[in-house]
Amino acid sequence: MEQPTAEAVLQGVYTLYNNPNKVEKEKASKWLEAFQKSIHSWEIADQLLQQKYDLNSCTFAAQTMRNKIQNSFHELPESAHESLRQSLLQHISHITLETKPVIVTQLSLALADLALLMSSWHKPVATLLERFSSNPNMMYAVIELLTLIPEEVNSRYLRLGANRRKDVLTDLETDSSLVNSYLLMCLMNCNDNEILQTKILKCFTSWLHINAFKIAQLGDNMIVAYSFQVLSNIHSKPEIHDAATDCLCALLQCVEMNNNGNGLDVNLFNGILSLEEAYNMSVAQEDLDRSINLCRLFTVLVESNLTRMVAGSEAATPHFSVKSLELVLNCVGHYDFEVAEITFNMWYRLSEDLYQRNNETLTAHFKPYVERLIAALYKHCQMESDHEGLIEEGDSFKDFRFKVSEIIKDVIFIVSSISCFKQMFVILQSPNVTWESSEAALFIMENVARNILPEESEVVPKVVEAILNLPENCHIAIRYTSINILGELCDWIDSNPETLEPILNFLLCALQQKNGLATAAANALQSICSACKKHMLGHISGLMEIARCLDGFEIQTDSAIGLLKGISIIIGRLPHAQLTTAMQELCSFQVQALNQLTSVEDDGLGVKKDRHDPVFWVDRLASIYRHVNPTITANEVNPCVYVIVNNWSVLSRAMECYKNDSKTMERIVRCIRYAIRCIGKQAMPILEPLVKQIITIYSGHNHSCLLYLGSILVDEFACETSCIQGLLNMLQAFIEPTFQVLQMENGLKNHPDMVDDFFRLVARFIQRSPFQLLQSPLVTPIIQCGLLACTLDHRDANLSVMRFFCSLLSYGRHDRADELRAIVHSILLQHGESLIMNLLYASVFCLHSYMLSDVADVFVEIKQLNPQQLEGYVRKAVDALPKKNSGGCVTVTNEQMIEFVESIVKSETPRAVTQALQEFSRLYR
């Protein structure tokens, strides 16, 4: 972009905000975006801030300045840093109480980021306080700056690096007493201005988050005392109440990490306990926001004491902090389930700790609290008495009940499933129990039913009998939840087969119902088929009848597929002769519909829209292929072969028919994948036509799912000598169109699925037929593509690339064939340096920390081949990295480089290499 004038930028901003013409607006937006990325935007943004032409131009200029410092600071030479600092300080000094908050925030962010990046600016906090603290008109701007500096320390955009971040944090700790004094002065002089009071609390909180204050500074701190005062005052405004809550939550976390037994933790604990009355008042006044804040604080109080609470309760007397669970349970009892939900993560953490310790005496201390939790959740899960029908999808109450299911499954071991089941059964038997109470009790029972021991004979038989004899006029929600319970009791039913027939009859009746009951029944039947395989064989004729009538039931698509899964599992246990017939019939319903869709214009599938979607039928067929798993001996013909080969022509025609639709192609390919997996090498009759077809389609449409299917074919057939050349030809045919796409601008980034599936295919080829691939001329361009793909920050795609390199390098080990070893060592000699260079660059600048374990596997493979080569490659790669960041700060010292190389060379396990990579990459982040 040529250098524009300030007037041109002003015109662009005016058009963006004021021109009613959408086309002009769009043009202005794109032009301004390009301007912001250009190097000229530094100077012009500065000019616009000086001119103060109007609100929009000032906002745009401030945003531009902040963006440039965050993302393009490297554009400025070090010699320009000081003039930029002076300019920003000048702009900040012109802020008044009338300045719009958005401009204050953007300018403050720009200056805060500059302070962190600019290593030559020593003690920026002290500088700012010295320059502005005596000016009462600057109070708002200074507090904003002091809030943002600690918040930006860990910004992933700035990439300060561990060394710079450590220096900054040390400076901030030193300056914390100055900040504390300034905030106290502001608090005393803000004349009850609630906006400023809120800002002061937020600023104090941001310094707590980085542990800048010494614990001794916090014992009798006035701002902490003020936070308690705000939370105790029933008339506090919502914004300041939020800020005071955040402040005390941050303080709790700070004390948890730095507790040195000076009594602050106990004082804080007792202070928060004293807020129980404030909570009760918020409930009485139906002030939900205030209740949520206090619940959040009580929950963080428990979490911050959790480790000590559990460890200290192993003796006969529980730890004193157990009292805080009473506060949390009080909140769980709030009339609004949104408050109870805040506590769920705390209960999960408590259950995890108790489960790991596996101490019955310890668990018993917490049993009464969990019993009260479940009792409270039971009440929250009750529907409104006048509610008709089931809870609709997307309803917040349905989402809440789902979370209740999860938390009950987490904590139930503390009280035992059967104890909870019995507790709810007592509610069901209460005289004059309402339908909504019964349904909520059944809902809780549904979530523990799977854990009931098969030999239980006291309560479960009574529950099952009551469900099977539900009156016709019972509420639909009770019937729905009861059906779900039967599905969850599938393991108990397997051990009590006398109950199977009446349960199946009950579910068959439910399948013929509407309004969600049929879907529930289908899900329950699937669970019972999966758990009761042996007993369900005798009911195969009934199951086949259900399959014939499947489209007559009002069942959701996923549940219908699940039901077909259950039926398929049972078919897989039939004698082989019966299996082929049953599977052919089960497939025929789907195949006939697909045949009609792909053959004639008038498909005759009725008016329902989903029936005309090929995916509807393909997914059903895929479920059958996936779950009919007969047991066969080594040389026996798989009874599914006849069915799959016979149905191949329909799937082949579907691929040709829908080759322009990537989503449909993915589902057809998935179905073919399950078909191949089902019969393995016995799919040979369809191999050649399948390979020819996917090559032809891929050359014109580049569906990456076809690459994935290729990897399945390699996995199954590459061990057959007669198939290797054909599969190699398939790989070669895939390479050219794949590389054409990936070599386009941002090709790797825009097509991670293609990278994933291509390298999965190549890795499978190396694993199944290494000699043929490694000897072919294809290996060099594949490696070069892999080198480029190392930096791709997509988890699955990057993992496939790393596995490709690991598979390749593994053939250089001593226990491999000599010829293969020689090929791999030659490849390492040719590409090893580039590989390590790219892997280290990717680890430092491109990949997420959790992805580095996959990179570490490649390092380990190279070390096993030649430790000396690895050491030389790593030294060169480290030496090629920048030693200073854009702010002039040393990113990595000589000692740190030497230490990293030594740690990589000495590491014996992938875990040790991962740790070394993660620690080194932090120097640049």
Side-chain angles (χ1 to χ4, degrees), residues 663-713:
K663 293 296 179 189
T664 303
M665 280 297 295
E666 281 177 17
R667 307 299 257 279
I668 296 170
V669 163
R670 182 167 158 266
C671 184
I672 295 171
R673 164 194 162 197
Y674 290 135
I676 299 292
R677 289 301 197 195
C678 179
I679 58 176
K681 294 182 183 64
Q682 294 183 36
M684 193 72 79
I686 66 172
L687 178 60
E688 189 175 342
L690 173 57
V691 169
K692 284 180 179 175
Q693 188 172 10
I694 63 176
I695 286 173
T696 304
I697 293 174
Y698 187 75
S699 66
H701 299 279
N702 305 145
H703 299 304
S704 76
C705 59
L706 296 173
L707 298 172
Y708 184 82
L709 182 55
S711 72
I712 302 297
L713 297 177

Side-chain angles (χ1 to χ4, degrees), residues 53-74:
Y53 185 77
D54 62 9
L55 172 61
N56 289 334
S57 64
C58 287
T59 303
F60 175 77
Q63 286 171 339
T64 301
M65 197 64 84
R66 190 258 300 167
N67 279 334
K68 296 300 286 184
I69 292 172
Q70 269 193 356
N71 303 312
S72 308
F73 194 58
H74 59 273

Side-chain angles (χ1 to χ4, degrees), residues 384-397:
E384 298 290 341
S385 58
D386 59 353
H387 185 91
E388 295 180 1
L390 303 177
I391 310 167
E392 292 181 7
E393 290 294 331
D395 190 305
S396 59
F397 184 50

Side-chain angles (χ1 to χ4, degrees), residues 321-337:
S321 61
V322 167
K323 287 187 289 185
S324 57
L325 286 174
E326 296 284 350
L327 287 178
V328 172
L329 280 169
N330 191 14
C331 296
V332 175
H334 191 279
Y335 59 82
D336 193 305
F337 63 75

Side-chain angles (χ1 to χ4, degrees), residues 71-138:
N71 303 312
S72 308
F73 194 58
H74 59 273
E75 291 178 355
L76 284 184
E78 260 187 84
S79 56
H81 292 177
E82 179 59 30
S83 60
L84 175 62
R85 178 177 77 143
Q86 293 302 333
S87 177
L88 283 174
L89 286 170
Q90 189 68 23
H91 293 313
I92 290 282
S93 67
H94 292 149
I95 289 174
T96 65
L97 291 173
E98 286 73 43
T99 306
K100 295 294 180 184
V102 65
I103 297 174
V104 176
T105 301
Q106 294 299 323
L107 277 176
S108 299
L109 264 172
L111 189 58
D113 288 346
L114 180 65
L116 297 173
L117 286 166
M118 188 175 161
S119 57
S120 59
W121 186 358
H122 300 294
K123 297 279 186 183
V125 169
T127 305
L128 292 168
L129 287 173
E130 186 180 334
R131 178 162 178 170
F132 297 124
S133 62
S134 59
N135 183 350
N137 295 326
M138 289 294 298

Side-chain angles (χ1 to χ4, degrees), residues 710-752:
S711 72
I712 302 297
L713 297 177
V714 168
D715 204 33
E716 292 289 347
F717 295 102
C719 297
E720 299 290 316
T721 308
S722 61
C723 297
I724 292 174
Q725 190 55 50
L727 293 170
L728 204 57
N729 293 342
M730 176 190 73
L731 175 60
Q732 185 166 8
F734 282 150
I735 283 180
E736 187 178 344
T738 300
F739 285 6
Q740 278 179 356
V741 172
L742 298 183
Q743 285 169 356
M744 291 190 292
E745 188 178 357
N746 293 323
L748 292 164
K749 185 179 179 181
N750 294 337
H751 302 277

